[in-house]
């Protein structure tokens, strides 16, 4: 079964601390993985995707097929990073329905 | 990118009534998706709507409860029928990026409360 697991509902850190939001997935084929973010009072938006191998707002995420993980990392958290983060999976092949994890709320304290 | 407008943004509905949510996109898109986000939970796909064909529903969702229209490439509606308090959710419209795959944009959502 296709599934995305985000084990932490809340991650609370201080400004400047490293951040790692965990995401594990279950998928039989070759999935495409994404991180979406929702800031307070804003719409859900794409943060990054594994095929781009890019860094957005200092965040990176590496797809580890052996561990079936796609953890989101940032070396130094900022207060403006406080938001809800969702890991999502797409089966690819031109069919872009997304399967979302439960989400992790990141709270960065001054 | 795509700009998505949803109406209504928020509503309080009486049990047993139906409500239609509208989704307007500023560019032509092939695929539109409807998601539900129940309180404190993640997003769950309800159905995929392609222009000119019947919507494809995910397991646990049926057309009688959530009829969808897709009259053209920029517009879709989702109706929540015969509502009960369990239907209190945020309903989100999303689209695939025009001209590119695997970038999904979301509307701001329609927050329905059923009393």
């Amino acid at each position: 079964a296709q599934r995305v697991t985000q084990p932490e509902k809340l991650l609370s850190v201080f400004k400047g601390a490293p951040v790692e939001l965990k995401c594990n997935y279950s998928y039989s084929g070759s999935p495409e993985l994404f991180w979406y973010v929702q800031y307070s009072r804003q719409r859900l938006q794409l943060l990054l995707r594994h095929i781009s191998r890019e860094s957005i707002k200092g965040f990176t995420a590496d797809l580890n097929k052996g561990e079936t993980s796609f953890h989101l990392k940032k070396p130094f958290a900022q207060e403006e990073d406080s938001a809800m983060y969702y890991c999502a999976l797409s089966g690819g092949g031109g069919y872009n329905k997304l399967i979302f994890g439960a989400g992790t709320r990141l709270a960065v304290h001054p | 990118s795509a700009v998505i407008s949803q109406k209504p943004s928020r509503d309080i509905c009486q049990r047993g009534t139906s409500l239609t949510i509208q989704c307007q996109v500023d560019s032509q898109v092939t695929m539109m998706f409807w998601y539900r986000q129940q309180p404190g939970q993640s997003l769950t796909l309800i159905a995929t709507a392609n222009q000119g064909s019947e919507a494809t529903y995910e397991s646990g969702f049926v057309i009688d409860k959530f009829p969808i229209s897709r009259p053209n490439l920029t517009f879709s509606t989702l109706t929540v029928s015969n509502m009960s308090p369990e239907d209190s959710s945020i309903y989100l419209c999303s689209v695939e990026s025009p001209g590119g795959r695997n970038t999904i944009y979301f509307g701001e959502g329609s927050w329905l409360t059923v009393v």
Side-chain angles (χ1 to χ4, degrees), chain A residues 32 49 86 96-98 101, chain B residues 35 37 42 58 96 102-103:
Chain A
E32 298 190 51
R49 50 189 166 183
Y86 293 95
N96 292 313
K97 72 172 189 176
L98 294 172
Chain B
Y35 285 84
Q37 187 175 23
S42 187
E58 297 300 308
E96 180 185 11
N102 277 345
T103 300

Side-chain angles (χ1 to χ4, degrees), chain B residues 12-52:
Chain B
I12 298 174
C13 309
Q14 295 295 319
R15 183 193 304 248
T17 63
S18 299
L19 183 82
T20 296
I21 303 166
Q22 299 179 3
C23 177
Q24 180 75 52
V25 190
D26 68 343
S27 52
Q28 293 184 340
V29 293
T30 302
M31 301 179 79
M32 297 179 78
F33 307 88
W34 287 98
Y35 285 84
R36 180 176 73 180
Q37 187 175 23
Q38 294 177 298
Q41 304 207 15
S42 187
L43 289 81
T44 302
L45 180 66
I46 297 171
T48 302
N50 289 344
Q51 194 267 337

Side-chain angles (χ1 to χ4, degrees), chain A residues 4-110:
Chain A
V4 177
T5 303
Q6 293 179 252
E8 302 144 325
K9 284 193 172 182
L10 172 66
L11 185 62
S12 187
V13 302
F14 287 103
K15 176 182 174 181
V19 168
E20 182 179 51
L21 291 85
K22 293 187 179 353
C23 172
N24 288 89
Y25 66 90
S26 173
Y27 186 75
S28 58
S30 296
E32 298 190 51
L33 276 296
F34 307 84
W35 277 99
Y36 278 81
V37 60
Q38 189 167 28
Y39 301 102
S40 179
R41 301 183 188 280
Q42 294 187 29
R43 68 185 66 198
L44 195 64
Q45 56 186 288
L46 178 66
L47 180 62
L48 55 79
R49 50 189 166 183
H50 90 269
I51 58 173
S52 299
R53 300 187 65 81
E54 57 199 346
S55 174
I56 304 293
K57 300 184 179 183
F59 284 98
T60 59
D62 291 320
L63 179 63
N64 185 322
K65 293 185 178 180
E67 296 182 357
T68 59
S69 69
F70 189 57
H71 303 325
L72 184 67
K73 301 177 183 179
K74 184 170 183 176
F76 308 103
Q78 303 299 315
E79 291 180 67
E80 54 266 30
D81 296 327
S82 297
M84 196 73 182
Y85 290 81
Y86 293 95
C87 183
L89 173 156
S90 169
Y95 186 49
N96 292 313
K97 72 172 189 176
L98 294 172
I99 299 168
F100 284 86
T104 298
R105 180 166 297 283
L106 175 64
V108 182
H109 303 285

Side-chain angles (χ1 to χ4, degrees), chain B residues 54-69:
Chain B
E54 293 272 332
T56 302
Y57 289 82
E58 297 300 308
S59 176
F61 298 97
V62 295
I63 188 171
D64 289 346
K65 176 68 175 177
F66 298 102
I68 288 171
S69 78

